[in-house]
Each structure stands twice: as structure tokens, then as C-alpha cells.
Amino acid sequence: MRLHQNFEPDYLWDPDESACHQAMILDPQSKIMKSASDAISKADLLYLACPPAVREPYALAAAAAGKALFLEKPFGINLDESGSLMAGLKTHNVPVAVNFTQASGAALTDLLVAKERGEMGALLGVDVIVTYPAWPRQWQKDADWLRFRAEGGMTREVISHFLFFTERVLGPLSLASAHTTYPDDPSLCETAVLARLTSGTGPVSYTHLR
């Protein structure tokens, strides 16, 4: 954001002092605020990069203060919590966006143009295959919420991007079947998900493996 002429990410806050220290190394122009409310009061646009379990109170506080919001996904750790946040945000007339930027770039634009021109032929379905040697990935290893089943997992963090992207191409999706495999440690995230989804256009199957 610092590199973009229209943004000045000057006000930061995190409950972890080491995270604040790392932020200042990356961008010494910024200022660490004393509290989340101080950061919210200073900002015009709030980017919430916190884990989903604590996202709702910060998001609603910012929306109540009339601040635009850019949120990480998921909204919550289950459908009820996500729906609660969505309903709360709708009561405030503020712009809200979710970080599905892969579906807002040149890749999707070019794909939709090719679809409209018939350059891809008939769309029969989509296969999504995602593999990583480890989860979380190296640059995410300090984010425990991504590692543990209660809040994290590849489906929430990664596959959600591809599903959103696919819906932009094929239309609304519905889940036909799914099978999830977990490691022996019951606290850890899935190691594999095999799922089959359907759309008005055709079948969409996806799989991801650790």
C-alpha cells in the first residue's frame, strides 16, 4: 500500500509487540497506535488482517465509525458467525470489500473475454488442484490460526479464492459431495479435501493436497 500513490498506511496496531516491531522495520514511516480504537479513529480505510475469530468486533467498530473496510476472509469460523458479521455490516452505509483480489485482476478479465468470444469452446467443468509441501506455507508459519482446525485450513485460506474465481466464470456453485482427511492430531487442519460441486454450466470438481 505504501507504494500506491492513493494510499498512506500510516496507522497500525497489533496486540503482538513483535509484530509491531516487524511492521516498523518494513515501513518506518508508519506509526504504531496505542489501541485498535486509536487506529480506527485515525484511518479512512481500515484493512483487517486479523484471524477470523476476532474479526467481527473490529469490523463493526470501524463500520460504526463510518470507515471503509477491506477484510480478509473468511468472515467468521462458521456460517452463523459469518452471517452475523454480514448482517451487522449491512446496517452501516460504508464500503466493504473482501480480499479475493485474484478474481479482480487481469487473469479473470482475460478469461471472461475469451469465454465471451467462444475461444475456449464449451465449458464442461473446472478442476482445481492445489498442492503444498507443508501447511502453513513458510511465509505463514507464524500464523497459528492457519495451522489449527478451529480457524484455519487450505479450504478457507486458498481454495476460497479459486471458488470465488470459478463462480465469476460459471455462476453460483452448490456442493454435491465432499470428503476431508485430517492428520492424527485433532487440532490440525485438513491434509486433503476431495469435493465435487455443480453449477448451471456444468460440474466443478476440486481437490487439494498437503
Side-chain angles (χ1 to χ4, degrees), residues 107-123:
L108 179 66
T109 301
D110 293 345
L111 183 63
L112 292 178
V113 170
K115 176 187 174 184
E116 292 300 317
R117 292 175 177 172
E119 295 172 355
M120 295 187 294
L123 293 178

Side-chain angles (χ1 to χ4, degrees), residues 28-52:
Q29 291 178 249
S30 297
K31 180 179 180 181
I32 302 297
M33 307 305 290
K34 292 182 179 179
S35 66
S37 58
D38 285 347
I40 291 171
S41 67
K42 285 284 190 180
D44 299 311
L45 163 67
L46 190 76
Y47 170 49
L48 279 179
C50 57

Side-chain angles (χ1 to χ4, degrees), residues 97-194:
V98 179
N99 184 14
F100 284 124
T101 52
Q102 289 184 14
S104 303
L108 179 66
T109 301
D110 293 345
L111 183 63
L112 292 178
V113 170
K115 176 187 174 184
E116 292 300 317
R117 292 175 177 172
E119 295 172 355
M120 295 187 294
L123 293 178
L124 302 178
V126 174
D127 289 313
V128 179
I129 301 173
V130 179
T131 63
Y132 296 118
W135 182 264
R137 290 164 285 182
Q138 179 63 27
W139 56 275
Q140 298 169 317
K141 62 183 178 61
D142 291 331
D144 276 348
W145 73 270
L146 289 173
R147 183 161 58 97
F148 294 117
R149 192 183 307 183
E151 295 182 70
M154 285 180 284
T155 298
R156 285 172 170 154
E157 178 66 12
V158 179
I159 297 299
S160 56
H161 280 283
F162 292 98
L163 296 182
F164 187 79
F165 189 104
T166 302
E167 283 202 325
R168 296 287 298 276
V169 178
L170 300 183
L173 305 175
S174 58
L175 180 64
S177 62
H179 175 72
T180 305
T181 301
Y182 292 96
D184 292 336
D185 185 341
S187 68
L188 296 179
C189 298
E190 72 266 16
T191 56
V193 172
L194 303 175

Side-chain angles (χ1 to χ4, degrees), residues 8 35 43 45 53 63 75 80 83 111 117 163 178 186 195-196 205 210:
E8 295 176 353
S35 66
L45 163 67
F75 267 23
D80 288 340
L111 183 63
R117 292 175 177 172
L163 296 182
R196 187 164 185 83
S205 61
R210 181 171 178 176

Side-chain angles (χ1 to χ4, degrees), residues 59-117:
L60 294 181
K67 310 297 184 175
L69 281 165
F70 184 58
L71 302 176
E72 280 297 337
K73 76 290 174 202
F75 267 23
I77 59 174
N78 55 51
L79 290 177
D80 288 340
E81 286 195 10
S82 299
S84 173
L85 175 54
M86 190 174 232
L89 291 173
K90 285 182 176 179
T91 65
H92 304 286
N93 187 27
V94 297
V96 179
V98 179
N99 184 14
F100 284 124
T101 52
Q102 289 184 14
S104 303
L108 179 66
T109 301
D110 293 345
L111 183 63
L112 292 178
V113 170
K115 176 187 174 184
E116 292 300 317
R117 292 175 177 172

